[in-house]
Amino acid sequence: MAHGEKSQSRPIDMNTPSAARMYDWLLGGSENFQPDRDACVKLLGITPTIQQLARTSRAFLRRAVRILVKEFEVTQFLEHGSGLPTRDNVHEVAQRANPNAKVAYVDNDPMVLAHARTTLHENSNVMVIDRDVRDTAEILEATADFFDWTQPIAALFVSVLDCLRDTGDDRDPAALVKRVAASLPAGSYVVACQLVSDNPVVREKVTTLMAEATNNSWGRVRQSHEVRRYFEGMEIEPPGLVDIADWRPDTPPPPLSLRPKDCREWGGVARV
């Protein structure tokens, strides 16, 4: 059972699309239902490159985790919004680089939790926390005895902040990242990216579609300059805040002429 989960699991709503299952479908997974697939088809009608961007964000996450372990010797990861990927999860990437790496996943999607119960129960260096990613105090309490809080921890916010609405209080996406960063040991890292667009029509159409499809369980498409707020007060690692296809790529990234024009995934890695 995931930490914090009630003995009576929440039912899985198969009729309302969820961002986690839509993301799974965009990545080529099978943990989704017809309403999720229908919503993705509509999304592709607005921004045909969204599937490419989902895969770009997943590749960025894998690179960031691998580099943090191998080059920065980080062995503890706190992923906010773990989702449903069936291959190359954070713990798999981290533990290939260092078998002793620890990963805590945070999510409150009942299907994500069901997936976690069946796939992670035998790994003592992995824990799953059944909480809203904004419930920082409860998340820290759950990980108090799991992580070594004298050593660096990497907090991951990859393609999850666009799922959170602006609230103007401490549950606002930027406030969330700042609060988590302030709670981490010295020398820790924050990894974050989110969907952005320079086109106000695309921003409005995607935001409206996702809000309607998920019953208002989504945030909005933002602009690249807004992502900088997530990293205020931190030391941003080279190459800075960029289209994440350009963040330390393993192979040459696509030329600008072949990249998505409607939306981008924008972000980076910063030292706390």
Side-chain angles (χ1 to χ4, degrees):
M1 182 180 297
H3 184 96
E5 185 182 6
K6 298 177 181 178
S7 58
Q8 181 65 40
S9 297
R10 295 186 298 277
I12 295 172
D13 182 353
M14 296 184 292
N15 298 311
T16 302
S18 82
R21 296 196 305 262
M22 290 176 67
Y23 189 56
D24 174 71
W25 185 85
L26 291 170
L27 290 173
S30 59
E31 303 291 334
N32 50 76
F33 303 116
Q34 191 61 49
D36 306 304
R37 298 189 284 271
D38 292 342
C40 284
V41 170
K42 293 179 181 178
L43 185 59
L44 286 165
I46 299 172
T47 172
T49 57
I50 195 69
Q51 191 163 36
Q52 177 185 345
L53 291 173
R55 293 172 179 176
T56 297
S57 71
R58 198 68 196 171
F60 165 68
L61 176 62
R62 291 194 299 266
R63 291 196 308 277
V65 170
R66 186 184 73 243
I67 289 169
L68 283 169
V69 176
K70 288 188 172 182
E71 297 186 20
F72 298 93
E73 299 183 344
V74 176
T75 58
Q76 303 183 115
F77 294 86
L78 177 60
E79 184 176 24
H80 294 77
S82 55
L84 286 160
T86 57
R87 294 179 300 171
D88 273 352
N89 292 277
V90 169
H91 73 281
E92 293 169 320
V93 175
Q95 290 174 357
R96 277 201 298 269
N98 185 327
N100 295 317
K102 288 188 170 184
V103 178
Y105 294 109
V106 182
D107 213 302
N108 64 352
D109 185 302
M111 190 157 173
V112 172
L113 297 172
H115 175 76
R117 284 196 300 269
T118 60
T119 59
L120 302 177
H121 66 282
E122 294 182 352
N123 193 324
S124 61
N125 279 341
V126 177
M127 76 177 301
V128 181
I129 304 169
D130 176 16
R131 302 298 306 191
D132 186 297
V133 296
R134 293 165 292 192
D135 293 340
T136 304
E138 291 83 353
I139 293 166
L140 296 179
E141 180 182 0
T143 57
D145 296 325
F146 179 70
F147 287 140
D148 178 353
W149 287 86
T150 68
Q151 298 298 315
I153 298 169
L156 311 177
F157 299 91
V158 175
S159 298
V160 67
L161 296 168
D162 36 17
C163 298
L164 304 180
R165 285 179 287 179
D166 299 318
T167 60
D169 57 19
D170 65 355
R171 293 176 75 78
D172 191 82
L176 165 64
V177 178
K178 184 177 181 179
R179 181 170 66 252
V180 172
S183 72
L184 299 176
S188 293
Y189 290 85
V190 167
V191 180
C193 70
Q194 89 135 75
L195 190 66
V196 303
S197 177
D198 298 325
N199 187 324
V201 175
V202 171
R203 291 198 302 270
E204 178 64 26
K205 285 186 175 181
V206 172
T207 297
T208 299
L209 171 64
M210 289 299 298
E212 291 175 350
T214 63
N215 196 22
N216 289 318
S217 296
W218 210 70
R220 67 181 174 94
V221 181
R222 296 183 171 91
Q223 298 180 71
S224 56
H225 71 84
E226 295 180 273
V227 176
R228 182 164 292 277
R229 292 183 57 215
Y230 301 154
F231 295 92
E232 288 179 354
M234 303 181 213
E235 181 182 339
I236 300 174
E237 292 289 332
L241 300 184
V242 294
D243 179 333
I244 57 173
D246 294 319
W247 196 90
R248 300 192 57 175
D250 295 324
T251 58
L256 294 179
S257 61
L258 297 179
R259 296 198 192 186
K261 302 294 191 298
D262 42 9
C263 291
R264 293 168 292 170
E265 284 281 350
W266 195 265
V269 177
R271 190 174 188 270
V272 175

